[in-house]
Amino acid sequence: MRIALVRVNPGKSGYTSAYGYIAPPLGLLSLAGAVKDIAKVRIIDGEGRGLSNQETIEEIEEFNPDIVGFTTIASTYINTSLKIAKSLRREKLDSLIVFGGHHATFTYPLILKEGIDAVVIGEGEATFRELVEKLEEEGDIKEVRGIAYAEDGRIRVSYREPIVNLDDLPMPAYDLVDPKTYTATILGENVKIASIETSRGCPYNCEFCSASAMWGHAWRWKSNDRVIRELEYVKNLGYNWVFFVDDNFVVPLKYQERLKLLDAIIENGLNDLNFIIQIRADIIAKHPELAKKLANAGVKIAFIGIESGSEEVLRGMRKGLKKEDTVNAVQLLSEHGIVVYGGIIIGAPYESRKDRKATYKFVQMLGDNGLDAIQISIYTPLPGSDSFYKALKDKALLTLNWDFYDALHPVMRVKEKLWRLYFESREKTYMFYLKKWWHGVTKKAKRYSKPILSNAKRYVMLRLPRYIKNFLKLPIESILVQREILRSGKNIDELTAKILEEVYIEHITSYLKLFHETILKQQKQLRYAKRS
């Protein structure tokens, strides 16, 4: 059995354009790890290698696979993936074509209508292996749990229970990709960055996020021994940076366990790697000692979700975060030399212009107190999130052209004009860095020792002419973007809206119910085993 696993190249992402950052396709590496003992697998990373659609098609055809799997970890991958899949069909490539990932999980009827053979629902390692084994046996893939497919004009879907013990997951097949492909130029010329997952699930309930719908609210984690093995594995392959992709690197109920992991990283000499994490500000604020421990373990960059400077907007987002915790977290991380990268979201339907001004003011104050970089996203209701289905119900979505669902473009009707949101998301980013630089010169801002920032400053200075050019184009570009979105031709008809709403209801009532029943059953078994 020959399997091609594909990440298409949808064009430069915001991270690639801004930071020269491109990470490995961890989902595909995990799938490859699940089947490489029973099949010949090739990873075709169009985005990582900068392949055109035609080059991707040619490489797939040259490999002549029995199965072609496309990842749609983000909505922006879907249109290009469908174009390539249809081209393969026109070229008479007789492969089973399978889609998976976040976007496919929550929009599978639309994907199957395009002629795709099957969609893997939710986490895919066990499902994909069973699918491959069924094909090897020349069996019927309809018997595979955890997939959706079309039959006689109807969509069939089944669900698979979650993988409770993440140590049962195979080691991601990092040996199938070249470490030199994955880098972050802003961090230096010799950066080779790996992605590692230590947990799945999110115990929080932010209304704009689809993580809980995909992975469940229960926080499942890999043992410290398993994480150490993965770190040693990528280090031996030549990677010197690691992005821990967990939505929350530390959660309250497993705080002590995380401290033990950080200790294990230090004890095994793995703190010579450089780590990037995502962590909530209130965790740092509640546990001030954590910042020092993270720094000692090799954490160089921490991403925190600031989201808004308005308490009212934070409540609307169901963030469960206080502004004072964010201030404390930024200062604590900075005192220990960790670069703080903050994310904010503008354009929520319940946000006013006054709220937005409060956000910009709050972020600039944080910049004077240790916040080093910001990411201003435009509120984007992604499939799987509560916000998406509320927007569908309220008929607030302006387009279903998924190319715009990148958090860089406004896609729904809100209180503010589209062009203004697009303009401010860029203009306020430039202003943050300009004011931060000036406050540093005039000594209005606190100074912290963060050696890694010297590379970033060189990177920015080399690209300064490009930034100035882009800034000058921004007013007219904002108007053109608004026009393009409104004329995208991907309007939402009643049938499509109904289909997507039904997927959401089915997902909650079936998949998440099965998920939580499985987790509860396992917890009961553990309690019984302890009593015995």
Side-chain angles (χ1 to χ4, degrees), residues 247-498:
D247 292 295
N248 298 284
F249 185 68
V250 180
V251 297
L253 289 176
K254 293 295 175 182
Y255 178 71
Q256 293 300 325
E257 194 65 24
R258 277 288 119 139
L259 292 184
K260 291 176 183 176
L261 173 60
L262 296 172
D263 286 336
I265 288 172
I266 295 167
E267 290 165 6
N268 285 274
L270 292 167
N271 54 340
D272 58 348
L273 291 169
N274 303 284
F275 299 115
I276 303 171
I277 64 168
Q278 301 178 106
I279 192 165
R280 282 180 63 99
D282 49 6
I283 295 290
I284 298 291
K286 184 178 179 180
H287 302 282
E289 73 282 357
L290 179 58
K292 182 178 180 180
K293 179 74 77 171
L294 290 169
N296 290 342
V299 172
K300 298 296 192 297
I301 301 173
F303 180 89
I304 60 172
I306 300 166
E307 317 309 3
S308 178
S310 162
E311 298 283 6
E312 187 175 342
V313 171
L314 288 172
R315 284 193 292 272
M317 291 177 171
R318 305 200 302 253
K319 184 69 179 179
L321 183 67
K322 295 179 181 178
K323 288 166 58 178
E324 62 190 74
D325 286 340
T326 300
V327 176
N328 290 336
V330 168
Q331 291 177 334
L332 285 165
L333 290 166
S334 295
E335 285 167 5
H336 291 91
I338 295 175
V339 171
V340 186
Y341 182 25
I344 67 171
I345 299 173
I346 63 170
Y350 38 79
E351 178 192 66
S352 66
R353 193 173 293 183
K354 181 180 177 182
D355 291 325
R356 232 169 32 255
K357 288 181 179 178
T359 295
Y360 302 142
K361 184 178 179 181
F362 181 56
V363 167
Q364 204 66 59
M365 181 274 289
L366 291 173
D368 289 342
N369 287 274
L371 181 65
D372 300 292
I374 61 167
Q375 171 185 303
I376 301 181
S377 300
I378 299 173
Y379 184 93
T380 303
L382 296 170
S385 67
D386 289 349
S387 62
F388 181 78
Y389 300 99
K390 187 178 188 307
L392 267 180
K393 186 178 179 180
D394 295 344
K395 298 183 179 180
L397 293 177
L398 296 169
T399 179
L400 279 187
N401 183 341
W402 304 113
D403 289 344
F404 291 123
Y405 281 67
D406 58 359
L408 299 174
H409 295 82
V411 296
M412 67 180 292
R413 192 177 294 106
V414 293
K415 298 176 182 178
E416 189 56 88
K417 292 181 175 63
L418 305 188
W419 71 263
R420 184 181 288 277
L421 291 175
Y422 185 89
F423 178 85
E424 285 187 12
S425 68
R426 276 79 175 165
E427 184 256 347
K428 296 301 181 184
T429 300
Y430 289 123
M431 289 299 104
F432 171 82
Y433 291 113
L434 182 61
K435 289 179 181 178
K436 185 173 175 63
W437 167 78
W438 179 246
H439 288 183
V441 170
T442 57
K443 298 183 180 180
K444 290 183 180 179
K446 291 183 180 179
R447 290 180 176 271
Y448 297 98
S449 175
K450 302 182 182 182
I452 192 176
L453 287 178
S454 59
N455 287 323
K457 289 174 182 176
R458 283 195 295 270
Y459 179 90
V460 169
M461 291 306 296
L462 287 171
R463 287 157 181 77
L464 198 55
R466 184 192 305 176
Y467 298 147
I468 294 171
K469 181 181 177 182
N470 290 341
F471 182 76
L472 294 174
K473 292 192 305 183
L474 194 52
I476 187 64
E477 181 180 280
S478 302
I479 299 296
L480 293 175
V481 165
Q482 174 175 291
R483 185 179 300 174
E484 185 182 5
I485 291 169
L486 294 176
R487 294 181 177 179
S488 67
K490 294 284 185 179
N491 296 324
I492 302 98
D493 58 78
E494 292 292 334
L495 178 59
T496 300
K498 185 173 183 291

Side-chain angles (χ1 to χ4, degrees), residues 135-151:
L135 286 174
E136 283 274 25
E137 299 163 3
E138 298 185 358
D140 192 345
I141 68 165
K142 297 170 188 174
E143 299 172 5
V144 176
R145 290 176 300 124
I147 67 167
Y149 59 92
E151 182 182 46

Side-chain angles (χ1 to χ4, degrees), residues 119-165:
V119 172
V120 172
I121 305 298
E123 56 189 12
E125 291 88 355
T127 299
F128 192 64
R129 184 177 178 92
E130 185 181 338
L131 179 70
V132 173
E133 289 174 337
K134 198 61 80 172
L135 286 174
E136 283 274 25
E137 299 163 3
E138 298 185 358
D140 192 345
I141 68 165
K142 297 170 188 174
E143 299 172 5
V144 176
R145 290 176 300 124
I147 67 167
Y149 59 92
E151 182 182 46
D152 300 327
R154 298 188 64 182
I155 303 298
R156 311 287 185 183
V157 63
S158 64
Y159 299 98
R160 179 183 292 273
E161 63 278 1
I163 300 166
V164 177
N165 183 359

